Amino acid sequence: MKATLIYGAGDIRVEDVPDPKLENPTDAIVRITHSCICGSDLWPYKSREATEQGGRIGHEFIGVVEETGSDVGRVKQGDVVVAPFFYADGTCEYCRAGLTSACPNGSAWGAETDGGQGEAARVPFADHSLMKLDVPVESELMPSLLTLSDVFGTGHHAAVSARVERGKDVVVVGDGAVGLLAVLAAKRLGAERIVLMGHHKDRTDLGREFGATDVVAERGEEGEQKVRDVLGTDGAHSTIEAVGYDQALSTALNVTKPGGYVGIVGVPQSGTIPNAGRKFGANITIAGGIAPTQANMHELLPDVMDGKVEPGKVFNRTIGLDEVPEGYRAMNDREALKVLVRP
């Protein structure tokens, strides 16, 4: 079969690899019908050291179950399923608590198993990892259902971590796909005012469609003051940081009112927490991290199925598997917001 491999910074290739096979009785083999490129895939695309042997990549996919192990009973051959970006066994103390992303037996796709940007994948712990979708594989809902694998679930995790509640003011730092879906998640949870900090008009326009009441394009101190001017207060109760750079987290802390909450889901690009003095002096709580999408996609599914939310609008380009290297380039060069892949 064909699959995407990364050999180094800027070096993405689609090559022939061995077909996946069942290795454990809890495995399933899934033929991938929909996948995508994530903003977090761009971090290794920008910085990975060159290697002679490429590594599998991609962690969001929908597909059809082709084969199951002897211990798999909840999903069966022919089922249409969506996979969370981090598979988990569903039985450990963290899974039972809803923090599936901390499962000691779990991992992300491409690390120890197949990547999601390919024609098929072996899925460990299939009964727990896969969520069945009662729709045909060519349903128009597929782009939105695919976001349950990662970006919508991550935006939801950010909003929950920031304690977004009905009637609250929210600031979202970052207008990438996760930031935009954090806006949608905050709106879904009942936020009254949502300020989106971003400067790409095509993206912030979508953010307004998702529920942003205001947009602040300025950065740094100017942007922080503009947020306070917009809200008419000394900051927001809840702020979401969806970028990963120190400046973004520093801004998030500066636009959060004393006693407020910052939810972080941007992959940190340094080992420190910037602006710690502001956090300490204002008693601001920082929470968040790797989203437990395996646990929360069941909560989000009904609203997607009913058409109450349309998170699939973040996809603004669709490509075939052989075009994945060009898809990476387009996202890296900001020509595409999020790229849908049809193997």
Side-chain angles (χ1 to χ4, degrees):
M1 72 168 195
K2 290 185 176 181
T4 304
L5 292 90
I6 181 168
Y7 281 83
D11 189 357
I12 297 286
R13 309 178 198 176
V14 178
E15 299 181 338
D16 290 324
V17 299
D19 291 341
K21 297 180 180 179
L22 297 175
E23 297 181 8
N24 302 297
T26 55
D27 289 348
I29 303 300
V30 173
R31 173 175 56 86
I32 297 172
T33 61
H34 298 76
S35 184
C36 56
I37 302 171
C38 183
S40 62
D41 291 330
L42 297 182
W43 296 122
Y45 182 76
K46 294 174 186 287
S47 62
R48 180 183 170 114
E49 292 186 8
T51 56
E52 293 185 4
Q53 183 175 1
R56 300 288 286 277
I57 194 168
H59 54 261
E60 303 156 277
F61 63 90
I62 285 174
V64 178
V65 176
E66 299 257 292
E67 188 179 0
T68 59
S70 58
D71 289 350
V72 177
R74 193 179 59 81
V75 297
K76 63 184 185 302
Q77 186 179 21
D79 284 347
V80 179
V81 293
V82 59
F85 74 87
F86 190 101
Y87 62 83
D89 64 20
T91 62
C92 73
E93 63 172 303
Y94 302 108
C95 288
R96 293 195 303 272
L99 191 60
T100 52
S101 56
C103 177
N105 296 314
S107 189
W109 305 104
E112 298 175 359
T113 186
D114 301 305
Q117 294 162 9
E119 292 182 316
R122 177 181 69 87
V123 179
F125 312 116
D127 269 346
H128 298 289
S129 296
L130 297 173
M131 182 172 70
K132 183 178 177 181
L133 301 173
D134 293 321
V135 294
V137 76
E138 294 299 331
S139 168
E140 63 181 13
L141 291 174
M142 281 298 162
S144 287
L145 291 168
L146 181 57
T147 68
L148 299 178
S149 183
D150 184 353
V151 283
F152 190 27
T154 295
H156 173 75
H157 181 57
V160 171
S161 297
R163 303 285 185 92
V164 174
E165 298 173 355
R166 187 166 300 281
K168 298 292 186 179
D169 289 339
V170 178
V171 175
V172 177
V173 182
D175 59 5
V178 170
L180 296 178
L181 290 181
V183 169
L184 183 63
K187 179 67 174 179
R188 177 180 173 273
L189 292 173
E192 181 174 344
R193 297 194 69 180
I194 304 172
V195 181
L196 173 60
M197 299 190 74
H199 61 281
H200 302 90
K201 188 176 184 302
D202 56 336
R203 300 183 179 194
T204 57
D205 284 350
L206 181 57
R208 288 185 185 276
E209 185 177 344
F210 281 160
T213 56
D214 302 274
V215 170
V216 170
E218 295 82 359
R219 298 181 178 185
E221 293 183 4
E222 182 182 4
E224 293 162 9
Q225 184 57 52
K226 183 70 175 294
V227 169
R228 290 188 285 268
D229 291 343
V230 166
L231 293 176
T233 65
D234 54 354
H237 169 269
S238 301
T239 301
I240 293 167
E241 191 281 298
V243 180
Y245 287 132
D246 283 0
Q247 182 58 55
L249 181 52
S250 181
T251 289
L253 289 167
N254 283 338
V255 299
T256 303
K257 66 173 55 182
Y261 298 84
V262 174
I264 57 170
V265 288
V267 180
Q269 297 305 298
S270 73
T272 61
I273 295 179
N275 207 4
R278 165 67 181 171
K279 170 194 163 12
F280 183 82
N283 282 283
I284 293 171
T285 299
I286 297 178
I290 301 173
T293 54
Q294 182 174 328
N296 64 30
M297 61 186 182
H298 294 274
E299 176 183 343
L300 300 173
L301 176 64
D303 283 358
V304 173
M305 293 294 293
D306 292 344
K308 293 180 180 178
V309 293
E310 296 183 68
K313 289 183 176 182
V314 294
F315 294 108
N316 62 348
R317 184 173 297 191
T318 300
I319 61 174
L321 184 58
D322 289 337
E323 301 170 277
V324 165
E326 170 61 17
Y328 271 82
R329 186 208 61 77
M331 282 185 59
N332 188 63
D333 293 347
R334 301 294 180 91
E335 294 176 9
L337 170 58
K338 190 168 178 67
V339 173
L340 180 68
V341 180
R342 294 298 309 268

